Amino acid sequence: MVTKVASVTKEVLIGDGLTTVLIGERINPSGRKKLSEALMIGDLEVVRKEALAQVEAGADILDVNVGVTGIDEAAMISQALETVMETVDVPLCIDSNKPKVIEAALKVYKGKPLINSVSGEERSFKEILPLVKESGAAVIGLTADDRGIPDNADQRLRIAGQIAEQAELAGIPREDLIIDCLAMTVGADGKAGLVTIDAIQKIKTELGVNMTLGASNISFGLPNRELLNGAFLSIVIASGINCPIVDAAKVLPLARACDLVLGRDKYAMRYTTAYRQFSSHH
Amino acid sequence: MVTKVASVTKEVLIGDGLTTVLIGERINPSGRKKLSEALMIGDLEVVRKEALAQVEAGADILDVNVGVTGIDEAAMISQALETVMETVDVPLCIDSNKPKVIEAALKVYKGKPLINSVSGEERSFKEILPLVKESGAAVIGLTADDRGIPDNADQRLRIAGQIAEQAELAGIPREDLIIDCLAMTVGADGKAGLVTIDAIQKIKTELGVNMTLGASNISFGLPNRELLNGAFLSIVIASGINCPIVDAAKVLPLARACDLVLGRDKYAMRYTTAYRQFSSHH
């Protein structure tokens, strides 16, 4: 099963056995004071710089989130997307769960975007899925519902199944659904990593969908986060995560290492290229 | 299935879901000039130092190999084992495929050792398995036979199955067989990593045995070997390798990171302890 997303000039393919696609996470004000403040005063220079830096670092798709309290998010996402599309040519991921923000984003976006996200809530199905269907976009489905994020793999599989069912009813092809089964910190719950890894394997086996994950939460509050994130990212990529949401500047060489040991880089070209690129910047 | 190996005072348990057991690889003259020369003149001080350093670095078991051309290997392994047993209290792994060397080693070893190794060759079955049975040791089975190391997972599974069958016929309990399905460099063959990962998963599913692997060959001839080894080690530990053969000083923090994300370190105690230990030495 192959998911296609596209800008005007570039198509990115996501699928099992293909090289890992990196979704750049850095255009997101959550926890980033400088970007939050810039968005509050309508200054898009930080967004432009982040877009350029991430694509240079190897991001294949950029996530764009402008969720700051007190701004007109619908207006801002349009401006942010325009700015990013002027700056780089990779496909984009519209990161909002608000129908009005997504609608505004879809009006300006040129190509086939990824929408991040629909969840397992009834209201989310009703509001988001018709927008996905109408625009022909691909969509990320989060394995959370009214009761939050289940603490076990079977319940996350259940929600993923409901999302797949509702997407099908809405006329969205299975290959345009990408599941995010969510990672919590192992600092708070020693079973959190295992639950996510189990959920990935179960969802991949049962539904055959492509999958994304924001993997860096796993290490929150613990020392040597890069090592822990690296171990976890390697395991989840091998388990079926095709397009993790990451800081490309930090994980590109590791993602290429994973692809190499997983037989997706025949002559080690992508690995050695990433090594040279990374070495010359550090 | 739990494999027990033991020294006089220490028992080490190897099993799925248990914490990863590290077999220290450094008492092995292959590619180590200083150790080769020391063994040739019967100087065991290097062996003593390596034993101590590896156990301090977190090795749970030590592999002991004295294979140098032109020395009396049977006499030397006895002396080496005596030296190591005087120095540290962890269980040992007798690393030789020569019956006379193994016999000599078994005479001096106190406890339940691991024997490294039997292979899929007829002659190996006949020579090695009776020694394993008689001594009550555990044994590593290599998935190679007269024709060498198969380049595909199914043939490695087939050889592992033959070893399991022959071990059973010899009266060796399944839990005393540990399979090593071998890793070759991805620099020479882009599919080498994937073949090993597939073989691990198939052997684990079909035979349920515990498994070891010397994982660092994977990166031979490539840049940034530590990164590549780390990605591969994380994936193979998640796939079922319980007791990799490694340089503990290099991989302890990563092995602890894997155990943490795999739910084998409830309060992150082992991970944070390894982090502190590693930080204070580097």
Side-chain angles (χ1 to χ4, degrees):
Chain A
M1 196 169 306
V2 175
T3 309
K4 287 182 197 174
V5 291
S7 64
V8 172
T9 56
K10 248 186 189 162
E11 194 171 75
V12 170
L13 302 181
I14 299 163
D16 290 338
L18 301 183
T19 51
T20 301
V21 166
L22 302 180
I23 303 177
E25 71 183 4
R26 290 186 55 85
I27 304 179
N28 188 326
S30 165
R32 294 203 175 91
K33 203 180 168 198
K34 199 176 156 191
L35 179 57
S36 302
E37 289 173 352
L39 292 173
M40 281 163 78
I41 58 167
D43 171 10
L44 288 160
E45 208 39 43
V46 184
V47 168
R48 188 186 304 275
K49 280 182 187 161
E50 284 289 6
L52 203 60
Q54 290 183 94
V55 172
E56 276 180 356
D60 302 292
I61 296 173
L62 296 186
D63 187 88
V64 179
N65 181 314
V66 296
V68 179
T69 308
I71 68 166
D72 179 350
E73 228 181 295
M76 183 53 71
I77 196 137
S78 307
Q79 289 178 52
L81 289 174
E82 298 276 20
T83 300
V84 176
M85 287 189 293
E86 277 166 31
T87 310
V88 294
D89 64 352
V90 300
L92 304 180
C93 177
I94 297 164
D95 187 354
S96 173
N97 58 11
K98 297 176 186 138
K100 284 192 178 160
V101 176
I102 297 172
E103 269 183 286
L106 288 170
K107 273 188 193 132
V108 301
Y109 186 75
K110 295 181 188 71
K112 179 184 174 184
L114 192 52
I115 293 172
N116 184 10
S117 56
V118 66
S119 74
E121 295 173 87
E122 195 61 40
R123 188 176 142 181
S124 182
F125 292 145
K126 283 191 182 143
E127 290 179 345
I128 309 295
L129 293 179
L131 293 173
V132 175
K133 167 62 183 166
E134 201 181 318
S135 63
V139 65
I140 293 174
L142 296 185
T143 60
D145 62 15
D146 317 44
R147 285 164 292 178
I149 301 167
D151 68 357
N152 65 82
D154 287 330
Q155 291 302 314
R156 291 191 204 176
L157 168 62
R158 180 184 57 75
I159 298 174
Q162 285 172 344
I163 296 173
E165 199 181 294
Q166 292 294 323
E168 198 173 335
L169 287 173
I172 299 162
R174 178 67 61 94
E175 61 264 29
D176 282 342
L177 173 63
I178 291 177
I179 293 289
D180 181 343
C181 70
L182 301 158
M184 320 292 281
T185 176
V186 286
D189 172 8
K191 292 286 176 198
L194 187 61
V195 165
T196 297
I197 293 162
D198 281 352
I200 293 166
Q201 290 169 345
K202 285 182 167 161
I203 291 167
K204 182 66 76 175
T205 305
E206 295 287 325
L207 304 175
V209 288
N210 290 319
M211 300 184 77
T212 184
L213 191 72
S216 62
N217 274 350
I218 198 80
S219 61
F220 194 79
L222 288 163
N224 207 356
R225 292 190 64 176
E226 203 168 331
L227 181 83
L228 200 52
N229 289 347
F232 187 61
L233 192 63
S234 302
I235 294 169
V236 299
I237 285 176
S239 301
I241 296 297
N242 318 81
C243 52
I245 301 184
V246 296
D247 183 345
K250 285 188 184 159
V251 310
L252 182 79
L254 180 70
R256 295 291 192 262
C258 291
D259 283 345
L260 177 54
V261 302
L262 291 168
R264 304 171 185 171
D265 184 7
K266 200 169 175 187
Y267 301 107
M269 290 297 292
R270 284 165 59 87
Y271 174 75
T272 50
T273 304
Y275 168 71
R276 280 195 298 267
Q277 180 192 338
F278 196 79
S279 304
S280 69
H281 283 82
H282 287 79
Chain B
M1 197 171 303
V2 175
T3 308
K4 287 183 198 177
V5 291
S7 63
V8 173
T9 56
K10 247 185 188 160
E11 195 173 73
V12 170
L13 302 181
I14 299 163
D16 291 337
L18 301 183
T19 51
T20 301
V21 166
L22 302 180
I23 303 178
E25 70 183 4
R26 290 185 54 87
I27 303 177
N28 188 326
S30 165
R32 295 204 175 90
K33 201 177 170 202
K34 199 176 155 193
L35 180 57
S36 302
E37 290 173 353
L39 291 173
M40 280 162 78
I41 59 166
D43 170 10
L44 288 159
E45 206 40 41
V46 183
V47 168
R48 188 188 302 276
K49 280 183 185 159
E50 284 289 5
L52 203 58
Q54 290 183 94
V55 172
E56 277 181 354
D60 303 292
I61 295 172
L62 296 185
D63 187 89
V64 180
N65 182 314
V66 296
V68 179
T69 308
I71 68 168
D72 178 350
E73 227 181 296
M76 184 52 72
I77 195 137
S78 307
Q79 288 178 51
L81 289 173
E82 298 275 18
T83 302
V84 176
M85 287 188 293
E86 276 167 32
T87 311
V88 294
D89 64 353
V90 301
L92 304 180
C93 177
I94 297 163
D95 187 355
S96 173
N97 56 11
K98 298 176 188 138
K100 283 192 179 158
V101 177
I102 297 172
E103 270 182 287
L106 288 170
K107 272 186 194 132
V108 301
Y109 186 75
K110 295 181 188 71
K112 179 183 174 185
L114 192 52
I115 293 172
N116 184 10
S117 56
V118 67
S119 74
E121 295 173 88
E122 196 61 40
R123 186 175 144 183
S124 183
F125 291 145
K126 282 192 184 143
E127 291 179 346
I128 309 295
L129 293 179
L131 294 174
V132 175
K133 167 63 184 167
E134 200 181 319
S135 63
V139 66
I140 293 174
L142 296 185
T143 60
D145 62 15
D146 316 44
R147 285 165 292 178
I149 301 167
D151 67 358
N152 65 81
D154 287 330
Q155 292 302 314
R156 292 193 202 173
L157 168 62
R158 179 185 57 76
I159 298 173
Q162 286 171 344
I163 297 173
E165 198 179 294
Q166 293 294 324
E168 197 172 335
L169 287 172
I172 298 162
R174 177 68 58 94
E175 62 265 27
D176 281 341
L177 173 62
I178 292 177
I179 293 289
D180 181 343
C181 67
L182 302 158
M184 320 292 281
T185 175
V186 287
D189 173 7
K191 291 286 174 197
L194 187 60
V195 165
T196 297
I197 294 164
D198 280 352
I200 294 166
Q201 290 168 347
K202 285 181 167 160
I203 292 168
K204 184 64 76 172
T205 305
E206 294 289 324
L207 303 175
V209 288
N210 290 319
M211 299 184 77
T212 184
L213 191 72
S216 62
N217 274 351
I218 197 82
S219 61
F220 193 78
L222 288 164
N224 207 355
R225 292 189 64 175
E226 203 168 330
L227 181 83
L228 201 52
N229 289 347
F232 187 62
L233 192 62
S234 302
I235 294 170
V236 300
I237 286 176
S239 301
I241 297 297
N242 319 82
C243 52
I245 301 184
V246 296
D247 184 346
K250 285 186 184 160
V251 311
L252 181 79
L254 181 70
R256 295 291 192 262
C258 291
D259 283 345
L260 177 53
V261 303
L262 291 168
R264 304 170 185 171
D265 185 6
K266 199 169 176 188
Y267 301 107
M269 291 298 291
R270 284 164 60 88
Y271 174 76
T272 50
T273 302
Y275 168 72
R276 280 194 299 265
Q277 181 191 339
F278 197 79
S279 304
S280 69
H281 283 82
H282 289 76

